[in-house]
Amino acid sequence: MSCAVTCRLLLVEDDPRLAEMVKDYLGENGFDVVIATSGEDGLARLSGNSFQLMILDIMLPGIDGLEVCRRARADHQELPILMLTAKGDAMDRIIGLELGADDYLPKPFEPRELLARLKAILRRGTTTGSSDVLRFGRLDVDVGAREARLEGTRCDLTAHQFNLLEAMARSPGRVLSRELLMEQVKGETLEAFDRSIDVHISRIRAEIEDDVKAPKRVVTVRGAGYVFARTQD
C-alpha cells in the first residue's frame, strides 16, 4: 500500500479544530481525509465505504473509541487503526492494542509525527509480492497472502501482528529483542518503557499456540526478548 496515489483515511475525532488541522495537514501530504465526529458516525461511515486507514480518538461522545475499535476490527480485519490516546494513559493504549489497534499516538502530538506513523503503517502493510510460505509443522506463515494458518485455519491477526510474526518466522532460533522487533515492523526504535510489543505477542500466541500458558512456538527469553522455535509439531 502506498500514497503515490491518494489514500482515503477516516478520522474519528470530536474536537473540530484538531480534526480540521489534521485534515488540512494530511491533505497536503496525499491523504483524502473523511471526518467523523462521534463513534456512531465513524461506524456508519465505515459501513459500505472503503478506507486505507483509520485514526481513532479514544475519548468520544456516545460510543467510545475502544468500542469503535472492537466493532471496526470485527468487520474490517485488514483496516489499519491508529488510536489517539491521552498522554501517559498506558491502560487505554494497552486495551486498544488488545482490541486490534495497530499503533497509538498520545495527545498532544506533532503533525509530522502523526504523518510518520501513518507512513510506517502503510509501509509495513505493503504486500511484497512474494509467494513464500514459511512452514513450521502445522503452522504456515504465508507471506504472499499475508496470513498465518494453523492446521489450515486462518489465524485472526492484524496487519501489524502478521508482520511481527513474519519477522520472527524469518529468523527461527534467533533471540530477537523487543527493540529489534519493533524496528523491523515499525521502522522506528521502541521506547524502552513501552511494552506494547508484549500485547501483540500475546495476541499472536492466542492464535498460533496450542496452550498460551505454555507456548512452544513463540518463546520468551527472560531479559532478552523472544525466539521463534525452529522445530514445531
Side-chain angles (χ1 to χ4, degrees):
M1 195 183 297
S2 168
C3 271
V5 294
T6 300
C7 290
R8 197 155 187 258
L9 182 151
L10 177 61
L11 170 62
V12 188
E13 170 60 64
D14 65 319
D15 182 335
R17 293 182 61 184
L18 177 59
E20 287 299 327
M21 181 272 289
V22 170
K23 180 177 181 178
D24 290 345
Y25 183 79
L26 294 182
E28 295 171 358
N29 287 276
F31 290 86
D32 175 18
V33 179
V34 175
I35 296 174
T37 57
S38 68
E40 292 87 346
D41 187 17
L43 290 171
R45 290 178 183 274
L46 270 182
S47 180
N49 291 287
S50 177
F51 294 97
Q52 282 72 55
L53 288 164
M54 178 164 71
I55 301 174
L56 176 60
D57 189 18
I58 285 185
M59 299 298 293
L60 294 170
I63 302 174
D64 69 15
L66 294 174
E67 178 62 15
V68 173
C69 181
R70 185 188 69 79
R71 297 189 193 183
R73 180 56 70 221
D75 295 332
H76 306 274
Q77 187 177 12
E78 299 301 323
L79 176 67
I81 300 173
L82 182 146
M83 300 201 76
L84 302 178
T85 68
K87 185 176 179 63
D89 198 339
M91 186 54 65
D92 273 351
R93 80 172 174 249
I94 289 172
I95 293 173
L97 292 169
E98 289 176 339
L99 291 173
D102 293 274
D103 201 356
Y104 65 88
L105 185 62
K107 289 182 174 181
F109 55 84
E110 291 292 331
R112 288 181 62 185
E113 182 178 3
L114 173 62
L115 178 62
R117 286 180 180 259
L118 294 177
K119 287 182 176 180
I121 289 174
L122 290 170
R123 283 197 303 272
R124 68 180 182 247
T126 300
T127 300
T128 63
S130 169
S131 59
D132 291 347
V133 178
L134 309 176
R135 292 190 167 89
F136 303 90
R138 294 176 290 124
L139 176 68
D140 290 344
V141 181
D142 190 331
V143 178
R146 293 190 54 74
E147 67 179 32
R149 296 182 295 272
L150 184 63
E151 294 186 321
T153 300
R154 188 176 190 273
C155 299
D156 184 12
L157 300 173
T158 67
H160 183 56
Q161 289 156 10
F162 177 81
N163 282 319
L164 183 57
L165 176 60
E166 180 191 347
M168 292 187 292
R170 288 193 179 279
S171 300
R174 178 187 174 193
V175 178
L176 301 175
S177 68
R178 293 177 177 85
E179 291 77 10
L180 179 59
L181 282 170
M182 292 303 280
E183 284 178 1
Q184 290 187 20
V185 301
K186 290 182 68 173
E188 58 188 63
T189 302
L190 178 68
E191 296 178 48
F193 62 84
D194 192 334
R195 290 303 203 193
S196 65
I197 187 74
D198 299 330
V199 177
H200 287 301
I201 292 292
S202 294
R203 290 291 299 272
I204 292 169
R205 282 174 169 161
E207 292 297 316
I208 71 171
E209 297 285 0
D210 298 315
D211 182 355
V212 294
K213 294 182 179 180
K216 294 182 178 180
R217 295 185 172 92
V218 178
V219 180
T220 301
V221 179
R222 189 177 298 276
Y226 297 97
V227 61
F228 190 82
R230 286 182 181 274
T231 304
Q232 302 177 14
D233 59 2

